[in-house]
Amino acid sequence: MKKYGLLLFLILSISCFSENKKSQQLQNDIVKSKIIEEKIISEENTNEIYKDRMKNFIREIRNDAGKNKYIITQNGNELYFRDGKLDRNFFPVTDGTTQESLYYGDVLKYNAVTKKESKDYMLSLLNPVRKEGKPVFVINYAKGNEKKDFLLKEDAKTGFVSELLPEFEARAIYNPIQGFNSENITNLRQVKNYLLLLNPEKFSDINQYFEYLKNTDFDLLLIEPSHNGIFLTKSQVEQLKTKKNGGKRIVISYLSIGEAEDYRGYWKKEWSKKWPKWIVKENPDWKGNYIVKYWNSEWKNVIKEYRGKLGSIGVDGYLLDTVDSYYYFQEKMENGNKIPD
């Protein structure tokens, strides 16, 4: 009897493994077909080539990360459109988006009101995205109670979630525009406030950084999960998923995919002497950040391995930054200076 039971168990196990494998293969095939579809469309409209390459990269990250991880894009909200309409093929790939300097912090000037033309254009992208149900998190760079009051009124109209950051480096602590709450946050649509903290250099070490984060009541943490090369542990990340007041929250890790950063764990010393073929130039506004050919397979593998490290510590998802780097390549192409693959 035991023999037959064992045999039945083995048959069922093999069957389940086979079905899981088929399911994963089907998912991979769907992603590949979408990529091919986007490539065909982009070849018909050369202005879309670099935008579609970024869309496809994000699709691959989604496929690799799985459905249970949140993916939020940082800026680059033209990605959600094609020919002036929402791109229904790409729109469901992500779970939320952000926009920097929508109201304050124009052209990297702190406290500067964003020009009406720029603001209106960004709103023309963000409003349809939000109306279709995708959460929009707005990052402003300014200070003052009057500005906070203004943002509260605007958020009531748009449905966005705005914060006012005290500096561009995203390393400083701040109070949210909307007050803290003890509600359980189980999806991005429930978020009323968030902490964006991407540079923890003000903390002495990873443990002090962890203790600070643990003792906050933000609904959503958008954070760099390491300090001086040392990562938060899986146990620490799990603890961060509970606010100080006891409510549940979401923890998202920062991940730049359109630029390489020479202060990340994946950076190799020899790259500082001789760039890999996929590095194009250093970002003039951010020292140590390098614009990359994000469609290059070597770079994709770098991101895949690094994302795997982030996933292993249990974060709920990824804030994909520098997705708007396609602008650089698109502009080059439009000026007749297309960069070779």
Side-chain angles (χ1 to χ4, degrees), residues 170-171 173 195-216 221-228 230-232 236 240 252 254:
R171 60 185 177 180
I173 300 162
L195 173 66
L196 183 73
L197 189 49
L198 306 181
N199 190 345
E201 65 180 23
K202 290 187 176 181
F203 299 92
S204 60
D205 56 30
I206 191 67
N207 291 318
Q208 187 188 50
Y209 181 42
F210 163 69
E211 288 297 328
Y212 165 71
L213 294 173
K214 185 177 70 170
N215 288 295
T216 64
L221 299 181
L222 300 172
I223 60 171
E224 167 54 43
S226 71
H227 180 284
N228 199 26
I230 300 174
F231 283 84
L232 293 165
Q236 287 175 326
L240 291 181
I252 302 289
Y254 177 83

Side-chain angles (χ1 to χ4, degrees), residues 268-286:
K268 297 179 181 179
K269 290 182 179 179
E270 57 264 32
W271 294 353
S272 297
K273 297 178 181 178
K274 184 179 180 181
W275 293 347
K277 61 183 180 181
W278 38 264
I279 288 182
V280 178
K281 63 173 291 186
E282 186 172 15
N283 185 330
D285 296 317
W286 297 99

Side-chain angles (χ1 to χ4, degrees), residues 20-58:
N20 287 337
K21 197 170 182 181
K22 285 179 183 177
S23 177
Q24 183 61 44
Q25 183 59 49
L26 178 61
Q27 183 65 27
N28 289 337
D29 290 343
I30 290 172
V31 171
K32 287 178 182 177
S33 68
K34 289 291 185 184
I35 291 173
I36 291 171
E37 181 182 341
E38 293 283 356
K39 184 177 180 182
I40 291 170
I41 295 172
S42 68
E43 285 174 351
E44 294 173 354
N45 180 2
T46 55
N47 290 331
E48 299 286 314
I49 288 176
Y50 293 110
K51 187 193 292 187
D52 285 333
R53 286 179 176 181
M54 181 56 78
K55 289 182 183 181
N56 290 335
F57 190 15
I58 295 171

Side-chain angles (χ1 to χ4, degrees), residues 22 109 111 137 149 179 200 216 220 239 274 283 288 311 317 335:
K22 285 179 183 177
K109 292 179 181 177
N111 245 2
F137 304 102
D149 291 340
T216 64
L220 171 65
Q239 291 178 66
K274 184 179 180 181
N283 185 330
N335 292 331

